[in-house]
Amino acid sequence: MQTDTLSISQDPMGAAIRDFHLTGKAGRLRVLSSMFEEDEMPVAHLFRTFKDMPRTEQRALEEAYGNVLDIGAGAGCHALELQQQGKSVKAIDISPLSCEVMKERGVKDVECTNVFCPTFIGQFDTILLLMNGTGIAGKLSNLPNLLNRLKQLMSKDGQILIDSSDLKYIYEDEDGAFDIDLNGPYYGEVDYQMVYRNVKGEPFDWLYTDPTMLKAVCEQCGLKCEIIEKGDHYDYLAKITLAI
Ligand code: SAH
């Protein structure tokens, strides 16, 4: 499990975020994967405001209360909205360039750190992980580690608001049947590598979790998981609290 932050020379998303912040536009942020065709991440999307957010994210911002921790905060779109609503939020990210941009955009409490870094401590009433928050676990086998870590950072009456998508639609054939190898790795495990101009990031694992699996792993970790919002495309928002 990685516990460190990115170096500037290997932070393509951060470089794209910085360009967009400074000039209002960015080049292509390419997303490579051993499993899919090359894709692109629209950099402007990382700067979305409330009205352009999917319903699952809007709901997460509405549900957020107390002191909030935004993990993997990116360009700070959720943190800025929460601040505007008068809520108190700390934003963390492993990308030093994104953290600089968040500060420049007015996010008051920013720390460049990895959620798994043992020196990062705190007690938060709401923990946000948005834009496929389960991705940070990387592999299904690491999901209990992530959830247990979040449990440490959550106050007793706190909540985790995390979104993901059920990737099963990728494996759907024309008849509507799902062609998934149940003996293979979990179908929500993918790998990505990002490239922006001449900056190439290291490949990384990224986990999409279906709701049934997320609920089962939460239960193993002594947590209760409720799906509180469903999106248009197999995406959903979960609210996780301590099981009593
Ligand atoms: N939440 C933002 C950005 C999502 S992209 C949004 O919705 O727009 C995922 C972000 O998580 C990236 O900025 C990446 O740098 C950050 N990240 C990935 N692993 C992390 C970790 N272990 N700890 C903290 N941040 C992490």
Side-chain angles (χ1 to χ4, degrees), residues 2-4 6 11 13 17 41 45-48 57 70-78 92-95 98 113-116 129-132 135-136 146 163 194 204 206:
Q2 295 272 0
T3 60
D4 46 5
L6 299 174
D11 182 9
M13 190 194 270
I17 283 176
M41 181 181 288
H45 181 68
L46 298 166
F47 288 76
R48 62 202 178 278
E57 293 182 6
D70 184 0
I71 299 178
C77 58
H78 302 109
I92 67 168
D93 204 289
I94 52 170
S95 156
S98 300
T113 186
N114 190 311
V115 67
F116 291 111
L129 299 100
L130 296 177
M131 207 173 146
N132 191 43
I136 287 180
L146 175 64
D163 64 354
M194 300 233 191
F204 60 94
W206 197 244

